[in-house]
Amino acid sequence: MRPRLRPEQLPASFGCVFSYAQRLRRLRCAGIPFPGIVIGKRNGRGQDRCRKARKEPEHLSCPCRFPSLFPPAATTFRRVEDSVFPICPRSFPGRGMPGLAALTRREARGTLLRHIMISFTNISGAEEIGANCYLLEMDGTRIVLDSGMHPKKEGKAAMPDFDSLEPNSVEAVFLSHSHLDHLGTLPVLQEKQPAAEVFMTPAAAALSEVMLHNSVNVMSAKRLDLGIVEYPFFTHNDLDRLSDAWNAKSCNEVFRVGFRQNVLATFYDAGHILGSAGVMLESESGHTVFYTGDVQFEDQSMIPGADFPESGVDTLVMECTRGGFQRSAHYSRPEEMVRFGKAIAETLERGGAVLIPVFAIGKSQEMLFNIHRFKQLGVIPANTPVYFGGLSAKVSLLYDRFAGSTRRHDHEFKLKEEIQTVPLPRKGKAPLVCSPGNIYVVSSGMMTENTLSNVMAEQVLPQEKNAILFVGYADPDSPAGLLKATPEGELMKMRPKGQPVRRKCTVDCFDFSGHATRDALVNYAVKLNPRQVVLVHGDPDAVEWMRHTLSAKMPDSTIVVPEPGRRYTFEP
């Protein structure tokens, strides 16, 4: 009969010990059995070692800790020669208790080849920007990058393809930042993969709680208004429980992840919004994968550009949001800021109102800061009312809270203390009436139906004196994207069931995007010169431009545009 050892009986020679008491408790709480470990034998040497393990156990320092089921690659091959083969539980489904079995030397060699490899699967369910979610397998360790909700779909169609993940197979989840297209289904993933640990920066953790609680409210309203019975995907109580399991890690802090603690991870500031980060992952075979998340290399008004690694990357997983947009060669951010201030000033001088649609995270705080500077410099009157509130105001408090612990141009500047705003009326209490001489900094940036920017646009559009100023990305199919493409004097419907409104106001666009330009992304990839570049988070035309350009500039690298559901394997 093959010897079966409990974790506390396993000799220290079998792999490195990692402290995962919390993970083991979660597995037990979830009803997941933690099996014994079978040590295989083929000849006398293996049998002797098994007997030695039974008779002379080297106890671990903590009974709640359990050792790696798969040792580092350098020593694994030696153990293969010695005919003793630790087995990963998921490697051989159907062979004995939860797939644990003793293997022959030939089987073990095949196991090693399968484990010492890197693979990538797009489980977003779509190629365009949407429910961003990717499965990365590094030497047998399964990692999920982001867990978003598609902004243009509803119900289960808005979720990633979680059904493609075997139950309890994911070991770690990394969140790049707190926009819902990267975050929105994280609680669903946690419920489906209770053994997985979740990692993000401290600021991202604080923002994510606010954003997800707001998402519960939005989904609950859609359940009533649209009859979407799947909503909400999770409740406030679910979120409170699940968020307690999040692990906050600072940028540039190196830590280990995975059941076997065999992958090194490091966050790097992405310069996109507060708490945004790319993540570097290094497997035990030495292969490095860097996932950019959403990135901005240029300085913004409040936060500096990305602080990314410039070498040592084998596989680069990179966003392509602006791949389809070519910025003018004459662009200058200071000049764009002057143009923006002038547009606001001219609208106020002619007795109009200014509507600035913004995202609650990032653009809201940046535009509030810019308007404050315009007042200080005398570009616009100091007493100009600025309407601001709702979710954006809650996020601004977090920007202030993390001012001293995240990268900033001015760590002492606090939005709440420095800037006076007029609060927005609470939803359902009183309608917000657009009045001349006011500035309205309201969400959402894409003017999604039923958001304040969408509702207010119907008041702003028919008046020639008014202006709508766009300051960031808008999906071409969103109300904001459609409005940008509507010529002056043409009719525009902000809502499918709304009345058409003739566009008489000024509509202008300013390039203050939180995403890197396509040229900056190409330059970064060329500088890293990785073996593989995986292009994600971009509309088809954007991704195709990036693929074509990188293929020409990096002929020795493999450029991959991952099809949904297809598994791509890379050499370690």
Side-chain angles (χ1 to χ4, degrees), residues 339-351:
R339 191 171 73 88
F340 180 54
K342 184 179 179 181
I344 296 176
E346 290 177 349
T347 303
L348 296 175
E349 287 172 3
R350 63 176 178 256

Side-chain angles (χ1 to χ4, degrees), residues 408-519:
R408 296 288 177 88
H409 296 305
D410 184 354
H411 290 280
E412 302 299 322
F413 185 87
K414 302 291 180 66
L415 293 163
K416 182 71 173 179
E417 297 175 4
E418 300 283 347
I419 303 175
Q420 183 177 359
T421 60
V422 181
L424 299 170
R426 296 189 64 179
K427 188 175 183 180
K429 296 297 182 182
L432 181 60
V433 178
C434 179
S435 301
N438 296 339
I439 301 174
Y440 299 90
V441 182
V442 296
S443 62
S444 73
M446 294 197 193
M447 291 184 156
T448 305
E449 186 179 358
N450 294 328
T451 61
L452 197 51
S453 61
N454 182 287
V455 173
M456 288 201 66
E458 294 183 334
Q459 301 179 48
V460 175
L461 281 169
Q463 305 299 323
E464 294 181 0
K465 295 180 178 181
N466 296 337
I468 299 177
L469 307 181
F470 292 101
V471 294
Y473 173 79
D475 186 283
D477 296 327
S478 68
L482 295 174
L483 178 54
K484 286 182 178 182
T486 301
E488 185 175 354
E490 294 292 324
L491 291 173
M492 168 71 189
K493 288 181 67 173
M494 296 304 300
R495 294 171 290 129
K497 296 182 181 180
Q499 294 296 318
V501 180
R502 196 169 300 279
R503 194 214 117 181
K504 294 183 179 179
C505 73
T506 298
V507 174
D508 206 347
C509 304
F510 300 87
D511 187 356
F512 299 126
S513 177
H515 292 271
T517 65
R518 64 186 190 179
D519 292 330

Side-chain angles (χ1 to χ4, degrees), residues 256-267:
R256 290 182 177 272
V257 303
F259 296 163
R260 299 174 284 122
Q261 294 286 271
N262 62 321
V263 175
L264 291 177
T266 312
F267 282 122

